Amino acid sequence: MSEADTYQPLSPETIAERLGSLACMSEHVGGDPASWSVREIGDGNLNLVFIVTSPSGSVIVKQALPYVRLVGDSWPLPLYRAFFENCALERQAQRAPDAVPKVFHFDESQALIVMEHLTPHIILRNKLIAGEQISGAGEFVGNFCAQTAFRGSELSLASADKKRDVGLFSGNVAIPAITESLVFTDPYFDAELNNHNPLLNSLVAELRQDVTLKTAVQTALMKFASNTETMVHGDLHSGSIMATDSELKVIDPEFAQYGPMGFDLGMVSANFLMAYFSQPGHRGDNLATYQDWILNVMVASFDAFDAEFSRLWHSERTGMLYPKSLFEDQGQDSGEACSHVLANIHRDALVFCGIEMHRRCLSLAHNADFESIEDPAVRAPLEARNIAMGRELILNAENLAHCSAVIDMAKAHNVGDFL
Amino acid sequence: MSEADTYQPLSPETIAERLGSLACMSEHVGGDPASWSVREIGDGNLNLVFIVTSPSGSVIVKQALPYVRLVGDSWPLPLYRAFFENCALERQAQRAPDAVPKVFHFDESQALIVMEHLTPHIILRNKLIAGEQISGAGEFVGNFCAQTAFRGSELSLASADKKRDVGLFSGNVAIPAITESLVFTDPYFDAELNNHNPLLNSLVAELRQDVTLKTAVQTALMKFASNTETMVHGDLHSGSIMATDSELKVIDPEFAQYGPMGFDLGMVSANFLMAYFSQPGHRGDNLATYQDWILNVMVASFDAFDAEFSRLWHSERTGMLYPKSLFEDQGQDSGEACSHVLANIHRDALVFCGIEMHRRCLSLAHNADFESIEDPAVRAPLEARNIAMGRELILNAENLAHCSAVIDMAKAHNVGDFL
C-alpha cells in the first residue's frame, strides 16, 4: 500500500498508450486503442475519472490524485485510498449483488481502477434537481444499506474474518479524518474551510452556541470513529448513486470504513431531505407532488431496510451476535431482538442524518440541491428549514419511533420560517 | 507474531539454564543462577507463572501456554497473546503510571515476559475473602480505569496513532473470542463448558427464558465486540489486582483490546459486588461492617473515576473528540459534554457489571468468592442474590443515574430471597 515512485496521473492523451495493452480494455472497450475516445468527467472532489469509448464498448477509468481535487495540492491525500476503494467494491459486490459497478482491473501503484461504465445512468442528485422520478429508488437504497450493514457485521461474518477486515481498514486513516472534521466538527465552529450563505449568519451563530447540540454531535462522532459494526460505504449521498428511470447503482466507496450500521442509511436520508427542502427553488406547478414523491422514497428506503434486514436476520444469522443458541434453539422467537437492533440503527441513522443536513450548508462541501439555486435570498429560507430540521433530528432521534414521525417533521419544517 | 517452532515451555528445572544469561535476571535476581529458587505459582486459567528468587532479589517469569490451562490441550490458544500482553503493559505503564508491574524482558518466540515481582502483595480477591481492608482501593481502581480509558481514546490520542493501535490489536482474535462466548453468551444457554450450583436450577431456567434480558446482553456484546473507544484491560477483576494493605497494582492484561470505555469499571465493580454478596459465607460478627466497606470501595471507585476523568478532560483533551474549538474556544464550558460522556460510561459499565455477575455463577470460570463456600446450600441463596441483581443492572442501567442507586440496589438484594 505504499505510494510507488512510479505513480503518474493519467490524461486523455496517455490512456491509450498506458492502458491499451490491458486485456480488460480489449474486452470491454475493444477496437484500436489509438481510436479510443477519452473524456475526463471527474466532477467529484478527489479523483480523475475518465470515460474510455470505442464504437464497440466503454469503461470507466478512475484514478486517485495525491491531493484533494476540490482544494488543490495544499491538501495532500494518500493514494492508498484507491486500494480501500477496490476492497470496498469487492465486498459490496458480494454483499449487495448487482448494486455496484463491476471492477475489471485494479493497479495499486497507479491508484487506478478500471470498471464498468454505467450507461445511460446519471447521478441521482441531478435527477432529483430536475424533478425526475425513478421507480424503485427507496427499495434499492434500503436493500443496499440493509445487505451491506448485515452481511458486513458479526451478525453474519465469522468474528475472525470480520476482525481481520477491521484491521485492514484501520490502515485507512486519511479518508475517515476528512469525514470526522468536515462532517462532524467543522460545521459547529468557524473552521477555515467553511462557507455558508451569509443570510444564515444569525441562525448559524445560534447553532454554534448550542452546547447540547454540539455534545450530541460529538457523541455521534465518537460512535462513528470508534464503532466497527459493519463496513459502511461512508459517503452514500445522491451524488454517489447513479440511476436510469428504473435502475440504480452505488458508486465511489472510497470513504468505506468499518462504522455504525445506521451510518449509510442516515447519510442518504439526509440527501433525500435536502432534495425535498430545496425543491421550491427548482420548480413550481408540480412542487407538492414531487416533494411527496421524495418523502415516499425516504419512507420506502426505511421500510425496505427493515424488511431486508429482518429477512437476513432470520435466514443468514450465522455470526456470533444474537446467536440462535439463545433464541430459536430454545424455542423462542428472536423478533424482539431484531426489532431492538433495528431501533438502535434507526436512532443512529437519524442523528447522522441531521448532522449531514448541517454540514452540507455550513462546511466545505455543499451540494447542488441548494447551491444550484442562484439567488441567496431564495436559497436561505430553504437552507434554514433544512438546518432547523437537522437540529431537531440530532436532539430528538431517540424519540422518533418510526420514519413516519420524520416525514411529519419534514412537512412541518417545509412551511416554517426559521431565518 | 507467528508461533515459532522453537517455543518450549519453561519448568522450574530449566529456568536457570534458559534465562540465566539475561541481563535483567542478573540485575533483578542476582547471584548464581544455579542457586535460584524457582516456584511455579500459576493459579490462573491460561499460563505458566514462576517466581525466581535469590537472596538478593526476585522476578516473575510469565509464559503463555499454547492451550487454556483450565481446560487442557483440547482448547488450543495462540501464544501470540503474550505479544499483546506485553503491548498492553507498555501502554498501561504510560497511561496509568505505577499501576502495573514493570516489564524487564519480553521474548516473543517463547511467549515469555520477565517482570517485577510484586511483594508482599497478594491477590485482592483473597484479601476480600479474608475480610481484610485495603486503604485507597476504590481510588486506585477508579483512577486506573479513568486514566487508561481517557488516555487510550481519541479524547487524548492522535487519531492516526489510535487507529494504528486498533489495527494492531485487531490481530488478537482468540482472546476476545473467549470473553465473547464465556461472558456474554454461554451463561444464557446450556453451553457445554458451563456449570452452576444445582440449587439454582429453577432460577437459571427462568433467566435463560428471558428474551428481553438476552437481547440486552447481546446488545452489550455488540458494543464490546465492535466498539474501539479505548484500550481496555479486558479482564479486570479482583484476581487481576494485587494488593498490600495500602498499595495496589493491576496485573494480567492479556485480554487487552480496544473496547468500550466503561468495560473495565463495570467488570471490576461486578467483582466488588460478588465479594459483597458472598460475605455471609465467610464471616459472622463483623459481616455488616465489612460489607459496608466493600460497597464504600465501589462508590469510591466510581467517584475517583469521575473525578480523574474530568480532570483529564479539562487538562489533557488533545484528541479530535469534543475538541476545544467547539467549547472552550467559543467561550463555553464543556462540563455538560463531559457529564454526558460520563453518563454513557456509567450506563455501559453497569450493564457489563450485571453480565459479569451472571457469568461467574453460570459459565465456565467461577470465582473463589462463591466457590470457596463449600456447602452448596449456603452458597445458593448468596449466588441467587447476585444473579438477581445482575439482571436488574442489565435491564435498568439506563435509569441508574448515580452509583448510590446501585448501592441501594445491592443492599436490597442482600436481604432478599431469590431462590
Side-chain angles (χ1 to χ4, degrees), chain A residues 306-323:
Chain A
D306 291 0
E308 180 64 4
F309 194 92
S310 300
R311 187 184 74 77
L312 297 171
W313 178 278
H314 292 292
S315 61
E316 296 187 11
R317 206 166 86 254
T318 54
M320 68 143 181
L321 294 177
Y322 303 87

Side-chain angles (χ1 to χ4, degrees), chain A residues 96-258:
Chain A
D98 299 321
V100 299
K102 293 185 182 70
V103 171
F104 301 136
H105 177 72
F106 171 59
D107 183 334
E108 188 170 343
S109 71
Q110 297 303 320
L112 177 158
I113 302 172
V114 181
M115 69 181 96
E116 179 183 7
H117 176 208
L118 301 171
T119 179
H121 305 63
I122 67 164
I123 291 296
L124 175 61
R125 194 187 305 286
N126 295 345
K127 287 186 175 281
L128 295 171
I129 292 170
E132 296 175 25
Q133 298 193 7
I134 304 101
S135 70
E139 292 76 4
F140 172 83
V141 165
N143 284 336
F144 174 81
C145 290
Q147 289 168 358
T148 52
F150 189 93
R151 290 176 172 152
S153 79
E154 284 170 288
L155 290 164
S156 165
L157 293 177
S159 288
D161 295 338
K162 190 260 189 178
K163 281 168 177 138
R164 193 180 311 114
D165 226 33
V166 170
L168 179 74
F169 276 85
S170 72
N172 190 6
V173 173
I175 290 276
I178 295 176
T179 304
E180 289 156 4
S181 58
L182 289 195
V183 176
F184 287 93
T185 302
D186 287 3
Y188 304 100
F189 78 109
D190 187 21
E192 194 183 340
L193 295 169
N194 285 353
N195 71 85
H196 67 257
N197 186 335
L199 298 172
L200 299 172
N201 277 349
S202 68
L203 181 65
V204 173
E206 195 192 326
L207 202 74
R208 290 181 179 161
Q209 283 298 304
D210 188 337
V211 168
T212 304
L213 177 75
K214 291 186 287 190
T215 298
V217 172
Q218 290 297 303
T219 302
L221 171 57
M222 186 150 79
K223 194 170 276 189
F224 174 74
S226 312
N227 196 308
T228 65
E229 285 171 1
T230 194
M231 191 195 79
V232 300
H233 178 283
D235 192 30
L236 190 63
H237 53 73
S238 47
S240 51
I241 297 175
M242 298 193 74
T244 65
D245 59 4
S246 64
E247 189 188 73
L248 299 98
K249 298 270 184 182
V250 171
I251 62 169
D252 286 353
E254 64 211 271
F255 282 73
Q257 66 170 72
Y258 276 80

Side-chain angles (χ1 to χ4, degrees), chain A residues 291-370:
Chain A
Q291 282 192 307
D292 281 347
W293 179 80
I294 296 174
L295 292 186
N296 286 337
V297 169
M298 184 167 162
V299 172
S301 69
F302 270 76
D303 287 348
F305 185 95
D306 291 0
E308 180 64 4
F309 194 92
S310 300
R311 187 184 74 77
L312 297 171
W313 178 278
H314 292 292
S315 61
E316 296 187 11
R317 206 166 86 254
T318 54
M320 68 143 181
L321 294 177
Y322 303 87
K324 294 195 171 170
S325 57
L326 295 192
F327 299 99
E328 288 83 351
D329 295 352
Q330 296 188 38
Q332 292 176 304
D333 185 58
S334 66
E336 177 184 335
C338 182
S339 298
H340 182 76
V341 172
L342 281 171
N344 284 342
I345 292 174
H346 291 181
R347 182 203 56 214
D348 288 354
L350 294 176
V351 173
F352 293 129
C353 177
I355 295 168
E356 170 76 354
M357 291 163 82
H358 284 170
R359 74 102 172 187
R360 290 291 193 173
C361 292
L362 305 178
S363 179
L364 174 67
H366 291 221
N367 61 20
D369 308 70
F370 288 119

